[in-house]
Amino acid sequence: MVAASTSSWLSFSGVMLTTFGPAAVLIKTVIAPQPDLIILAILAAFAWLMVISCVAIVWLALVPLRDTMWLLVVYGVLAQEAGRYGTYRVYQRLLRGLDKVGLKPTIRAGGESVSSQLVAAVPPAIACGVGVGLAQTVIMYGDFLLASLKPGTLYNP
C-alpha cells in the first residue's frame, strides 16, 4: 500500500471539513446537550438506511419495471416519507415513555427552557436532519473520501 502524500492529506482534510463541518457544529451546539436528540439522530440515520436498503432490494427484484422509472421513483419517495413518519412516531413514544418515568426532556434554547411548541419542534427536526444527512453522506460519498488519500486519484474516475 502506498502512503498518502501531503497533498492527498490536504485534499482529504479539506473535503472532511467542508462536508462534515456544519453537521459537527449542529451536533456540538444542538444535539449533544440533549441525550434524547442523540438517540433521535441515530434512529433517523438507521431508519434512512433501512428504507434505502428496501428501495434498493425492490429495484433489484423488479427488473421489468426499470423501464418505467417514474414508478420506482414514486415508490422510493413514498418509502422515505413513511420512514420519516415512522421515526417521528418512535420519537413520540420515546418522549411519552420518558415522561412516564419522570424523565421528561426539556428543550433548551440559549440556556433557557422553552415551552413554545414551534420552537420545541426545531431541535428534533435538526437531529433527524443531521442523522439522515450524515448517514447519506457517508454511504454516498465515503468511497470518494477514502479515494482522495491515494496518490494521483483526485480527478480519476
Side-chain angles (χ1 to χ4, degrees):
M1 182 160 176
V2 179
S5 66
T6 304
S7 63
S8 295
W9 279 106
L10 289 174
S11 172
F12 176 79
S13 61
V15 169
M16 281 288 287
L17 290 173
T18 303
T19 304
F20 296 111
V25 169
L26 286 172
I27 289 170
K28 172 88 170 106
T29 59
V30 177
I31 299 171
Q34 300 176 40
D36 60 316
L37 294 183
I38 295 171
I39 294 169
L40 181 60
I42 293 169
L43 173 71
F46 181 73
W48 179 83
L49 184 61
M50 296 313 303
V51 167
I52 288 298
S53 297
C54 290
V55 169
I57 289 169
V58 169
W59 169 259
L60 289 173
L62 299 177
V63 175
L65 288 181
R66 288 188 188 163
D67 294 335
T68 56
M69 180 71 80
W70 68 270
L71 185 61
L72 292 172
V73 170
V74 168
Y75 165 71
V77 168
L78 291 175
Q80 286 190 36
E81 289 302 317
R84 286 177 49 186
Y85 182 71
T87 303
Y88 168 73
R89 297 293 294 173
V90 168
Y91 182 65
Q92 278 186 330
R93 286 190 68 187
L94 170 75
L95 289 181
R96 280 196 299 272
L98 288 174
D99 194 27
K100 272 186 185 176
V101 296
L103 297 173
K104 184 172 182 165
T106 59
I107 305 298
R108 291 178 221 95
E112 300 176 9
S113 293
V114 177
S115 62
S116 170
Q117 285 187 342
L118 178 62
V119 176
V122 172
I126 291 173
C128 281
V130 167
V132 169
L134 284 177
Q136 185 175 9
T137 303
V138 169
I139 296 297
M140 300 295 220
Y141 303 111
D143 188 40
F144 295 117
L145 190 61
L146 292 177
S148 72
L149 285 174
K150 296 178 183 176
T153 60
L154 185 59
Y155 298 107
N156 206 3

